[in-house]
Amino acid sequence: MHVGILGLDFHLPGCASLKEKRRRLQRLRDKFGRIPNLAVCESGHQDVHQRARWSVVAVASSATVVERMLGDVERWVDERLDAIVVGVDREVLS
């Protein structure tokens, strides 16, 4: 069993409230929160309006599948989320 952890740090320019911040990032949870073997959560900067940290955890029988799953999340975020990605870290554990 392999576990992958993807950390995403966001800047949300012009975000004036926590409600707006969560609305802008809700698509991330909506898109990936229902996929089996994938978990998504807000994991940092919860009380800061223009910053966010989200973590994505993937579990699969091979490291290749884990890397593909996390890569899909990262590409989707870059293309479709209303936020600027300012940091990414990824780790796969066996």
Side-chain angles (χ1 to χ4, degrees):
M1 190 63 55
H2 299 271
V3 177
I5 303 164
L6 175 65
L8 299 161
D9 287 302
F10 299 104
H11 174 63
L12 296 106
C15 190
S17 69
L18 295 176
K19 185 175 182 177
E20 179 185 352
K21 170 184 161 176
R22 297 214 167 88
R23 180 190 53 77
R24 287 170 67 175
L25 296 173
Q26 182 65 36
R27 292 180 62 205
L28 180 60
R29 182 176 298 143
D30 291 346
K31 173 73 175 171
F32 296 104
R34 298 180 188 163
I35 296 175
N37 303 334
L38 204 60
V40 180
C41 71
E42 183 178 7
S43 58
H45 306 295
Q46 284 95 341
D47 296 328
V48 181
H49 295 173
Q50 294 188 2
R51 289 293 312 271
R53 175 155 177 93
W54 282 64
S55 295
V56 179
V57 178
V59 179
S61 59
S62 81
T64 304
V65 173
V66 168
E67 286 285 354
R68 182 180 46 80
M69 291 169 71
L70 296 179
D72 289 348
V73 172
E74 194 174 341
R75 276 187 296 283
W76 184 88
V77 163
D78 282 338
E79 295 170 2
R80 295 196 176 100
L81 205 58
D82 184 20
I84 299 168
V85 178
V86 294
V88 176
D89 53 84
R90 186 188 301 198
E91 183 176 4
V92 177
L93 310 167
S94 297

PDB file of all heavy atoms in Angstrom, residues 2-9 37-41 43 53-60 62-63 65-71 73-74 87-94:
ATOM      1  N   HIS A   2       0.535   2.203  -0.820  1.00  0.00           N
ATOM      2  CA  HIS A   2       1.281   3.456  -0.932  1.00  0.00           C
ATOM      3  C   HIS A   2       0.359   4.621  -0.589  1.00  0.00           C
ATOM      4  O   HIS A   2      -0.817   4.616  -0.953  1.00  0.00           O
ATOM      5  CB  HIS A   2       1.836   3.633  -2.342  1.00  0.00           C
ATOM      6  CG  HIS A   2       2.792   2.552  -2.726  1.00  0.00           C
ATOM      7  ND1 HIS A   2       4.130   2.635  -2.480  1.00  0.00           N
ATOM      8  CD2 HIS A   2       2.591   1.348  -3.306  1.00  0.00           C
ATOM      9  CE1 HIS A   2       4.725   1.540  -2.903  1.00  0.00           C
ATOM     10  NE2 HIS A   2       3.801   0.737  -3.415  1.00  0.00           N
ATOM     11  N   VAL A   3       0.905   5.606   0.109  1.00  0.00           N
ATOM     12  CA  VAL A   3       0.158   6.789   0.516  1.00  0.00           C
ATOM     13  C   VAL A   3       0.893   8.012  -0.006  1.00  0.00           C
ATOM     14  O   VAL A   3       2.109   8.135   0.164  1.00  0.00           O
ATOM     15  CB  VAL A   3       0.035   6.866   2.053  1.00  0.00           C
ATOM     16  CG1 VAL A   3      -0.672   8.143   2.473  1.00  0.00           C
ATOM     17  CG2 VAL A   3      -0.678   5.645   2.600  1.00  0.00           C
ATOM     18  N   GLY A   4       0.167   8.899  -0.631  1.00  0.00           N
ATOM     19  CA  GLY A   4       0.742  10.146  -1.127  1.00  0.00           C
ATOM     20  C   GLY A   4       0.075  11.328  -0.469  1.00  0.00           C
ATOM     21  O   GLY A   4      -1.135  11.320  -0.225  1.00  0.00           O
ATOM     22  N   ILE A   5       0.879  12.326  -0.161  1.00  0.00           N
ATOM     23  CA  ILE A   5       0.368  13.542   0.466  1.00  0.00           C
ATOM     24  C   ILE A   5       0.771  14.724  -0.406  1.00  0.00           C
ATOM     25  O   ILE A   5       1.947  14.911  -0.710  1.00  0.00           O
ATOM     26  CB  ILE A   5       0.943  13.712   1.879  1.00  0.00           C
ATOM     27  CG1 ILE A   5       0.629  12.488   2.728  1.00  0.00           C
ATOM     28  CG2 ILE A   5       0.390  14.988   2.524  1.00  0.00           C
ATOM     29  CD1 ILE A   5       1.455  12.384   3.980  1.00  0.00           C
ATOM     30  N   LEU A   6      -0.214  15.502  -0.805  1.00  0.00           N
ATOM     31  CA  LEU A   6       0.006  16.691  -1.611  1.00  0.00           C
ATOM     32  C   LEU A   6      -0.420  17.890  -0.783  1.00  0.00           C
ATOM     33  O   LEU A   6      -1.568  17.964  -0.330  1.00  0.00           O
ATOM     34  CB  LEU A   6      -0.830  16.621  -2.896  1.00  0.00           C
ATOM     35  CG  LEU A   6      -0.822  17.831  -3.819  1.00  0.00           C
ATOM     36  CD1 LEU A   6       0.571  18.049  -4.409  1.00  0.00           C
ATOM     37  CD2 LEU A   6      -1.852  17.663  -4.924  1.00  0.00           C
ATOM     38  N   GLY A   7       0.498  18.812  -0.552  1.00  0.00           N
ATOM     39  CA  GLY A   7       0.178  20.051   0.154  1.00  0.00           C
ATOM     40  C   GLY A   7       0.128  21.196  -0.835  1.00  0.00           C
ATOM     41  O   GLY A   7       1.042  21.355  -1.648  1.00  0.00           O
ATOM     42  N   LEU A   8      -0.918  21.975  -0.791  1.00  0.00           N
ATOM     43  CA  LEU A   8      -1.115  23.100  -1.710  1.00  0.00           C
ATOM     44  C   LEU A   8      -1.313  24.375  -0.905  1.00  0.00           C
ATOM     45  O   LEU A   8      -2.206  24.446  -0.059  1.00  0.00           O
ATOM     46  CB  LEU A   8      -2.350  22.868  -2.576  1.00  0.00           C
ATOM     47  CG  LEU A   8      -2.328  21.637  -3.472  1.00  0.00           C
ATOM     48  CD1 LEU A   8      -3.743  21.270  -3.918  1.00  0.00           C
ATOM     49  CD2 LEU A   8      -1.439  21.895  -4.671  1.00  0.00           C
ATOM     50  N   ASP A   9      -0.462  25.362  -1.149  1.00  0.00           N
ATOM     51  CA  ASP A   9      -0.602  26.671  -0.509  1.00  0.00           C
ATOM     52  C   ASP A   9      -1.148  27.651  -1.533  1.00  0.00           C
ATOM     53  O   ASP A   9      -0.635  27.736  -2.656  1.00  0.00           O
ATOM     54  CB  ASP A   9       0.749  27.154   0.010  1.00  0.00           C
ATOM     55  CG  ASP A   9       1.193  26.390   1.233  1.00  0.00           C
ATOM     56  OD1 ASP A   9       0.441  26.392   2.223  1.00  0.00           O
ATOM     57  OD2 ASP A   9       2.275  25.788   1.198  1.00  0.00           O
ATOM     58  N   ASN A  37     -10.448   6.538  -2.235  1.00  0.00           N
ATOM     59  CA  ASN A  37      -8.998   6.523  -2.027  1.00  0.00           C
ATOM     60  C   ASN A  37      -8.359   7.907  -2.092  1.00  0.00           C
ATOM     61  O   ASN A  37      -7.151   8.018  -2.257  1.00  0.00           O
ATOM     62  CB  ASN A  37      -8.294   5.580  -3.004  1.00  0.00           C
ATOM     63  CG  ASN A  37      -8.810   4.172  -2.909  1.00  0.00           C
ATOM     64  OD1 ASN A  37      -9.304   3.753  -1.877  1.00  0.00           O
ATOM     65  ND2 ASN A  37      -8.717   3.437  -3.993  1.00  0.00           N
ATOM     66  N   LEU A  38      -9.169   8.946  -1.955  1.00  0.00           N
ATOM     67  CA  LEU A  38      -8.660  10.309  -1.968  1.00  0.00           C
ATOM     68  C   LEU A  38      -9.363  11.098  -0.862  1.00  0.00           C
ATOM     69  O   LEU A  38     -10.581  11.002  -0.711  1.00  0.00           O
ATOM     70  CB  LEU A  38      -8.963  10.940  -3.328  1.00  0.00           C
ATOM     71  CG  LEU A  38      -8.128  12.091  -3.826  1.00  0.00           C
ATOM     72  CD1 LEU A  38      -6.666  11.705  -3.961  1.00  0.00           C
ATOM     73  CD2 LEU A  38      -8.641  12.556  -5.172  1.00  0.00           C
ATOM     74  N   ALA A  39      -8.596  11.850  -0.077  1.00  0.00           N
ATOM     75  CA  ALA A  39      -9.164  12.694   0.974  1.00  0.00           C
ATOM     76  C   ALA A  39      -8.637  14.106   0.787  1.00  0.00           C
ATOM     77  O   ALA A  39      -7.467  14.304   0.458  1.00  0.00           O
ATOM     78  CB  ALA A  39      -8.787  12.167   2.345  1.00  0.00           C
ATOM     79  N   VAL A  40      -9.503  15.099   1.011  1.00  0.00           N
ATOM     80  CA  VAL A  40      -9.158  16.497   0.812  1.00  0.00           C
ATOM     81  C   VAL A  40      -9.595  17.278   2.043  1.00  0.00           C
ATOM     82  O   VAL A  40     -10.710  17.096   2.522  1.00  0.00           O
ATOM     83  CB  VAL A  40      -9.894  17.070  -0.427  1.00  0.00           C
ATOM     84  CG1 VAL A  40      -9.536  18.521  -0.649  1.00  0.00           C
ATOM     85  CG2 VAL A  40      -9.609  16.242  -1.656  1.00  0.00           C
ATOM     86  N   CYS A  41      -8.708  18.156   2.552  1.00  0.00           N
ATOM     87  CA  CYS A  41      -9.110  18.979   3.688  1.00  0.00           C
ATOM     88  C   CYS A  41      -8.320  20.285   3.723  1.00  0.00           C
ATOM     89  O   CYS A  41      -7.203  20.365   3.219  1.00  0.00           O
ATOM     90  CB  CYS A  41      -8.929  18.227   5.004  1.00  0.00           C
ATOM     91  SG  CYS A  41      -7.227  17.992   5.503  1.00  0.00           S
ATOM     92  N   SER A  43      -6.051  22.534   5.669  1.00  0.00           N
ATOM     93  CA  SER A  43      -5.127  22.124   6.725  1.00  0.00           C
ATOM     94  C   SER A  43      -4.253  23.245   7.278  1.00  0.00           C
ATOM     95  O   SER A  43      -3.393  22.992   8.111  1.00  0.00           O
ATOM     96  CB  SER A  43      -4.230  20.995   6.203  1.00  0.00           C
ATOM     97  OG  SER A  43      -3.529  21.418   5.054  1.00  0.00           O
ATOM     98  N   ARG A  53      -4.146  26.702   3.011  1.00  0.00           N
ATOM     99  CA  ARG A  53      -3.352  25.492   2.785  1.00  0.00           C
ATOM    100  C   ARG A  53      -4.325  24.329   2.797  1.00  0.00           C
ATOM    101  O   ARG A  53      -5.116  24.180   3.719  1.00  0.00           O
ATOM    102  CB  ARG A  53      -2.284  25.295   3.842  1.00  0.00           C
ATOM    103  CG  ARG A  53      -1.557  23.956   3.648  1.00  0.00           C
ATOM    104  CD  ARG A  53      -0.173  23.966   4.221  1.00  0.00           C
ATOM    105  NE  ARG A  53       0.476  22.674   4.088  1.00  0.00           N
ATOM    106  CZ  ARG A  53       1.259  22.327   3.077  1.00  0.00           C
ATOM    107  NH1 ARG A  53       1.483  23.172   2.091  1.00  0.00           N
ATOM    108  NH2 ARG A  53       1.814  21.144   3.030  1.00  0.00           N
ATOM    109  N   TRP A  54      -4.242  23.533   1.747  1.00  0.00           N
ATOM    110  CA  TRP A  54      -5.075  22.342   1.642  1.00  0.00           C
ATOM    111  C   TRP A  54      -4.172  21.138   1.482  1.00  0.00           C
ATOM    112  O   TRP A  54      -3.105  21.225   0.861  1.00  0.00           O
ATOM    113  CB  TRP A  54      -6.022  22.462   0.446  1.00  0.00           C
ATOM    114  CG  TRP A  54      -7.195  23.337   0.745  1.00  0.00           C
ATOM    115  CD1 TRP A  54      -7.174  24.669   1.041  1.00  0.00           C
ATOM    116  CD2 TRP A  54      -8.555  22.954   0.787  1.00  0.00           C
ATOM    117  NE1 TRP A  54      -8.436  25.133   1.251  1.00  0.00           N
ATOM    118  CE2 TRP A  54      -9.306  24.099   1.106  1.00  0.00           C
ATOM    119  CE3 TRP A  54      -9.213  21.750   0.580  1.00  0.00           C
ATOM    120  CZ2 TRP A  54     -10.692  24.064   1.233  1.00  0.00           C
ATOM    121  CZ3 TRP A  54     -10.596  21.728   0.694  1.00  0.00           C
ATOM    122  CH2 TRP A  54     -11.318  22.868   1.017  1.00  0.00           C
ATOM    123  N   SER A  55      -4.614  20.029   2.027  1.00  0.00           N
ATOM    124  CA  SER A  55      -3.880  18.773   1.900  1.00  0.00           C
ATOM    125  C   SER A  55      -4.758  17.757   1.198  1.00  0.00           C
ATOM    126  O   SER A  55      -5.967  17.684   1.439  1.00  0.00           O
ATOM    127  CB  SER A  55      -3.476  18.238   3.273  1.00  0.00           C
ATOM    128  OG  SER A  55      -2.568  19.127   3.891  1.00  0.00           O
ATOM    129  N   VAL A  56      -4.124  16.968   0.347  1.00  0.00           N
ATOM    130  CA  VAL A  56      -4.799  15.898  -0.377  1.00  0.00           C
ATOM    131  C   VAL A  56      -4.020  14.625  -0.085  1.00  0.00           C
ATOM    132  O   VAL A  56      -2.803  14.593  -0.227  1.00  0.00           O
ATOM    133  CB  VAL A  56      -4.818  16.168  -1.898  1.00  0.00           C
ATOM    134  CG1 VAL A  56      -5.508  15.038  -2.640  1.00  0.00           C
ATOM    135  CG2 VAL A  56      -5.461  17.507  -2.207  1.00  0.00           C
ATOM    136  N   VAL A  57      -4.725  13.588   0.327  1.00  0.00           N
ATOM    137  CA  VAL A  57      -4.095  12.303   0.622  1.00  0.00           C
ATOM    138  C   VAL A  57      -4.672  11.265  -0.332  1.00  0.00           C
ATOM    139  O   VAL A  57      -5.893  11.161  -0.484  1.00  0.00           O
ATOM    140  CB  VAL A  57      -4.343  11.873   2.083  1.00  0.00           C
ATOM    141  CG1 VAL A  57      -3.738  10.513   2.361  1.00  0.00           C
ATOM    142  CG2 VAL A  57      -3.786  12.911   3.047  1.00  0.00           C
ATOM    143  N   ALA A  58      -3.784  10.521  -0.988  1.00  0.00           N
ATOM    144  CA  ALA A  58      -4.186   9.468  -1.918  1.00  0.00           C
ATOM    145  C   ALA A  58      -3.611   8.142  -1.446  1.00  0.00           C
ATOM    146  O   ALA A  58      -2.470   8.085  -0.982  1.00  0.00           O
ATOM    147  CB  ALA A  58      -3.677   9.772  -3.323  1.00  0.00           C
ATOM    148  N   VAL A  59      -4.396   7.085  -1.578  1.00  0.00           N
ATOM    149  CA  VAL A  59      -3.971   5.743  -1.190  1.00  0.00           C
ATOM    150  C   VAL A  59      -4.228   4.809  -2.364  1.00  0.00           C
ATOM    151  O   VAL A  59      -5.303   4.830  -2.967  1.00  0.00           O
ATOM    152  CB  VAL A  59      -4.764   5.244   0.044  1.00  0.00           C
ATOM    153  CG1 VAL A  59      -4.347   3.842   0.430  1.00  0.00           C
ATOM    154  CG2 VAL A  59      -4.596   6.192   1.210  1.00  0.00           C
ATOM    155  N   ALA A  60      -3.208   3.994  -2.702  1.00  0.00           N
ATOM    156  CA  ALA A  60      -3.355   3.028  -3.798  1.00  0.00           C
ATOM    157  C   ALA A  60      -2.335   1.912  -3.620  1.00  0.00           C
ATOM    158  O   ALA A  60      -1.419   2.006  -2.805  1.00  0.00           O
ATOM    159  CB  ALA A  60      -3.170   3.708  -5.147  1.00  0.00           C
ATOM    160  N   SER A  62      -0.125   1.017  -5.787  1.00  0.00           N
ATOM    161  CA  SER A  62       1.172   1.296  -6.406  1.00  0.00           C
ATOM    162  C   SER A  62       1.498   2.779  -6.311  1.00  0.00           C
ATOM    163  O   SER A  62       0.604   3.637  -6.340  1.00  0.00           O
ATOM    164  CB  SER A  62       1.187   0.845  -7.867  1.00  0.00           C
ATOM    165  OG  SER A  62       0.578   1.800  -8.689  1.00  0.00           O
ATOM    166  N   ALA A  63       2.786   3.082  -6.220  1.00  0.00           N
ATOM    167  CA  ALA A  63       3.235   4.464  -6.144  1.00  0.00           C
ATOM    168  C   ALA A  63       2.894   5.220  -7.428  1.00  0.00           C
ATOM    169  O   ALA A  63       2.604   6.421  -7.397  1.00  0.00           O
ATOM    170  CB  ALA A  63       4.736   4.509  -5.879  1.00  0.00           C
ATOM    171  N   VAL A  65       0.227   4.896  -9.324  1.00  0.00           N
ATOM    172  CA  VAL A  65      -1.177   5.312  -9.266  1.00  0.00           C
ATOM    173  C   VAL A  65      -1.330   6.507  -8.329  1.00  0.00           C
ATOM    174  O   VAL A  65      -2.037   7.470  -8.638  1.00  0.00           O
ATOM    175  CB  VAL A  65      -2.079   4.133  -8.838  1.00  0.00           C
ATOM    176  CG1 VAL A  65      -3.500   4.607  -8.606  1.00  0.00           C
ATOM    177  CG2 VAL A  65      -2.045   3.035  -9.877  1.00  0.00           C
ATOM    178  N   VAL A  66      -0.650   6.470  -7.197  1.00  0.00           N
ATOM    179  CA  VAL A  66      -0.701   7.586  -6.249  1.00  0.00           C
ATOM    180  C   VAL A  66      -0.176   8.862  -6.917  1.00  0.00           C
ATOM    181  O   VAL A  66      -0.799   9.923  -6.834  1.00  0.00           O
ATOM    182  CB  VAL A  66       0.099   7.259  -4.967  1.00  0.00           C
ATOM    183  CG1 VAL A  66       0.298   8.503  -4.119  1.00  0.00           C
ATOM    184  CG2 VAL A  66      -0.597   6.175  -4.172  1.00  0.00           C
ATOM    185  N   GLU A  67       0.956   8.772  -7.588  1.00  0.00           N
ATOM    186  CA  GLU A  67       1.529   9.937  -8.272  1.00  0.00           C
ATOM    187  C   GLU A  67       0.577  10.476  -9.332  1.00  0.00           C
ATOM    188  O   GLU A  67       0.431  11.695  -9.487  1.00  0.00           O
ATOM    189  CB  GLU A  67       2.866   9.571  -8.921  1.00  0.00           C
ATOM    190  CG  GLU A  67       4.004   9.405  -7.950  1.00  0.00           C
ATOM    191  CD  GLU A  67       4.532  10.722  -7.408  1.00  0.00           C
ATOM    192  OE1 GLU A  67       4.102  11.810  -7.856  1.00  0.00           O
ATOM    193  OE2 GLU A  67       5.385  10.671  -6.512  1.00  0.00           O
ATOM    194  N   ARG A  68      -0.069   9.583 -10.065  1.00  0.00           N
ATOM    195  CA  ARG A  68      -1.020  10.015 -11.100  1.00  0.00           C
ATOM    196  C   ARG A  68      -2.211  10.743 -10.476  1.00  0.00           C
ATOM    197  O   ARG A  68      -2.638  11.796 -10.954  1.00  0.00           O
ATOM    198  CB  ARG A  68      -1.506   8.826 -11.918  1.00  0.00           C
ATOM    199  CG  ARG A  68      -2.469   9.237 -13.041  1.00  0.00           C
ATOM    200  CD  ARG A  68      -2.964   8.060 -13.858  1.00  0.00           C
ATOM    201  NE  ARG A  68      -3.396   6.922 -13.087  1.00  0.00           N
ATOM    202  CZ  ARG A  68      -4.599   6.811 -12.481  1.00  0.00           C
ATOM    203  NH1 ARG A  68      -5.468   7.787 -12.553  1.00  0.00           N
ATOM    204  NH2 ARG A  68      -4.907   5.724 -11.805  1.00  0.00           N
ATOM    205  N   MET A  69      -2.745  10.193  -9.392  1.00  0.00           N
ATOM    206  CA  MET A  69      -3.881  10.817  -8.722  1.00  0.00           C
ATOM    207  C   MET A  69      -3.530  12.220  -8.227  1.00  0.00           C
ATOM    208  O   MET A  69      -4.289  13.173  -8.444  1.00  0.00           O
ATOM    209  CB  MET A  69      -4.348   9.940  -7.559  1.00  0.00           C
ATOM    210  CG  MET A  69      -4.987   8.633  -7.987  1.00  0.00           C
ATOM    211  SD  MET A  69      -5.233   7.487  -6.595  1.00  0.00           S
ATOM    212  CE  MET A  69      -6.534   8.298  -5.706  1.00  0.00           C
ATOM    213  N   LEU A  70      -2.383  12.350  -7.580  1.00  0.00           N
ATOM    214  CA  LEU A  70      -1.978  13.657  -7.064  1.00  0.00           C
ATOM    215  C   LEU A  70      -1.660  14.626  -8.203  1.00  0.00           C
ATOM    216  O   LEU A  70      -1.965  15.820  -8.112  1.00  0.00           O
ATOM    217  CB  LEU A  70      -0.782  13.500  -6.124  1.00  0.00           C
ATOM    218  CG  LEU A  70      -1.047  12.698  -4.847  1.00  0.00           C
ATOM    219  CD1 LEU A  70       0.213  12.590  -4.017  1.00  0.00           C
ATOM    220  CD2 LEU A  70      -2.193  13.280  -4.036  1.00  0.00           C
ATOM    221  N   GLY A  71      -1.076  14.121  -9.275  1.00  0.00           N
ATOM    222  CA  GLY A  71      -0.815  14.953 -10.444  1.00  0.00           C
ATOM    223  C   GLY A  71      -2.096  15.478 -11.068  1.00  0.00           C
ATOM    224  O   GLY A  71      -2.161  16.641 -11.495  1.00  0.00           O
ATOM    225  N   VAL A  73      -4.903  16.075  -9.492  1.00  0.00           N
ATOM    226  CA  VAL A  73      -5.399  17.122  -8.596  1.00  0.00           C
ATOM    227  C   VAL A  73      -4.629  18.420  -8.841  1.00  0.00           C
ATOM    228  O   VAL A  73      -5.227  19.490  -9.006  1.00  0.00           O
ATOM    229  CB  VAL A  73      -5.279  16.701  -7.116  1.00  0.00           C
ATOM    230  CG1 VAL A  73      -5.615  17.873  -6.201  1.00  0.00           C
ATOM    231  CG2 VAL A  73      -6.169  15.505  -6.816  1.00  0.00           C
ATOM    232  N   GLU A  74      -3.321  18.319  -8.892  1.00  0.00           N
ATOM    233  CA  GLU A  74      -2.489  19.506  -9.074  1.00  0.00           C
ATOM    234  C   GLU A  74      -2.784  20.208 -10.402  1.00  0.00           C
ATOM    235  O   GLU A  74      -2.904  21.439 -10.456  1.00  0.00           O
ATOM    236  CB  GLU A  74      -1.018  19.113  -8.994  1.00  0.00           C
ATOM    237  CG  GLU A  74      -0.097  20.283  -8.836  1.00  0.00           C
ATOM    238  CD  GLU A  74       1.337  19.861  -8.602  1.00  0.00           C
ATOM    239  OE1 GLU A  74       1.600  18.705  -8.204  1.00  0.00           O
ATOM    240  OE2 GLU A  74       2.209  20.715  -8.837  1.00  0.00           O
ATOM    241  N   GLY A  87       2.650  27.485  -3.441  1.00  0.00           N
ATOM    242  CA  GLY A  87       3.535  26.437  -2.947  1.00  0.00           C
ATOM    243  C   GLY A  87       2.906  25.080  -3.093  1.00  0.00           C
ATOM    244  O   GLY A  87       1.699  24.915  -2.938  1.00  0.00           O
ATOM    245  N   VAL A  88       3.758  24.106  -3.426  1.00  0.00           N
ATOM    246  CA  VAL A  88       3.307  22.716  -3.583  1.00  0.00           C
ATOM    247  C   VAL A  88       4.372  21.820  -2.986  1.00  0.00           C
ATOM    248  O   VAL A  88       5.560  22.014  -3.232  1.00  0.00           O
ATOM    249  CB  VAL A  88       3.112  22.334  -5.073  1.00  0.00           C
ATOM    250  CG1 VAL A  88       2.750  20.873  -5.224  1.00  0.00           C
ATOM    251  CG2 VAL A  88       2.072  23.219  -5.726  1.00  0.00           C
ATOM    252  N   ASP A  89       3.942  20.873  -2.181  1.00  0.00           N
ATOM    253  CA  ASP A  89       4.861  19.827  -1.748  1.00  0.00           C
ATOM    254  C   ASP A  89       4.156  18.487  -1.846  1.00  0.00           C
ATOM    255  O   ASP A  89       2.944  18.397  -1.675  1.00  0.00           O
ATOM    256  CB  ASP A  89       5.400  20.073  -0.328  1.00  0.00           C
ATOM    257  CG  ASP A  89       4.314  20.306   0.694  1.00  0.00           C
ATOM    258  OD1 ASP A  89       3.771  19.319   1.209  1.00  0.00           O
ATOM    259  OD2 ASP A  89       4.002  21.471   0.982  1.00  0.00           O
ATOM    260  N   ARG A  90       4.939  17.478  -2.212  1.00  0.00           N
ATOM    261  CA  ARG A  90       4.377  16.159  -2.465  1.00  0.00           C
ATOM    262  C   ARG A  90       5.313  15.111  -1.893  1.00  0.00           C
ATOM    263  O   ARG A  90       6.525  15.217  -2.009  1.00  0.00           O
ATOM    264  CB  ARG A  90       4.234  15.945  -3.964  1.00  0.00           C
ATOM    265  CG  ARG A  90       3.525  14.660  -4.329  1.00  0.00           C
ATOM    266  CD  ARG A  90       3.564  14.376  -5.806  1.00  0.00           C
ATOM    267  NE  ARG A  90       2.951  15.438  -6.601  1.00  0.00           N
ATOM    268  CZ  ARG A  90       2.570  15.264  -7.843  1.00  0.00           C
ATOM    269  NH1 ARG A  90       2.728  14.121  -8.451  1.00  0.00           N
ATOM    270  NH2 ARG A  90       2.033  16.256  -8.516  1.00  0.00           N
ATOM    271  N   GLU A  91       4.709  14.101  -1.283  1.00  0.00           N
ATOM    272  CA  GLU A  91       5.488  12.996  -0.706  1.00  0.00           C
ATOM    273  C   GLU A  91       4.705  11.707  -0.899  1.00  0.00           C
ATOM    274  O   GLU A  91       3.499  11.675  -0.682  1.00  0.00           O
ATOM    275  CB  GLU A  91       5.731  13.251   0.779  1.00  0.00           C
ATOM    276  CG  GLU A  91       6.571  12.224   1.456  1.00  0.00           C
ATOM    277  CD  GLU A  91       6.865  12.567   2.917  1.00  0.00           C
ATOM    278  OE1 GLU A  91       6.347  13.566   3.420  1.00  0.00           O
ATOM    279  OE2 GLU A  91       7.604  11.794   3.535  1.00  0.00           O
ATOM    280  N   VAL A  92       5.403  10.642  -1.296  1.00  0.00           N
ATOM    281  CA  VAL A  92       4.792   9.325  -1.439  1.00  0.00           C
ATOM    282  C   VAL A  92       5.503   8.378  -0.484  1.00  0.00           C
ATOM    283  O   VAL A  92       6.728   8.269  -0.508  1.00  0.00           O
ATOM    284  CB  VAL A  92       4.874   8.812  -2.892  1.00  0.00           C
ATOM    285  CG1 VAL A  92       4.301   7.406  -2.986  1.00  0.00           C
ATOM    286  CG2 VAL A  92       4.129   9.749  -3.831  1.00  0.00           C
ATOM    287  N   LEU A  93       4.723   7.716   0.345  1.00  0.00           N
ATOM    288  CA  LEU A  93       5.256   6.779   1.334  1.00  0.00           C
ATOM    289  C   LEU A  93       4.867   5.358   0.965  1.00  0.00           C
ATOM    290  O   LEU A  93       3.761   5.111   0.492  1.00  0.00           O
ATOM    291  CB  LEU A  93       4.691   7.110   2.720  1.00  0.00           C
ATOM    292  CG  LEU A  93       4.803   8.569   3.160  1.00  0.00           C
ATOM    293  CD1 LEU A  93       3.938   8.809   4.386  1.00  0.00           C
ATOM    294  CD2 LEU A  93       6.230   8.934   3.425  1.00  0.00           C
ATOM    295  N   SER A  94       5.779   4.439   1.194  1.00  0.00           N
ATOM    296  CA  SER A  94       5.473   3.030   0.895  1.00  0.00           C
ATOM    297  C   SER A  94       5.017   2.318   2.150  1.00  0.00           C
ATOM    298  O   SER A  94       5.403   2.615   3.230  1.00  0.00           O
ATOM    299  CB  SER A  94       6.704   2.328   0.343  1.00  0.00           C
ATOM    300  OG  SER A  94       7.056   2.932  -0.874  1.00  0.00           O
TER     301      SER A  94
END
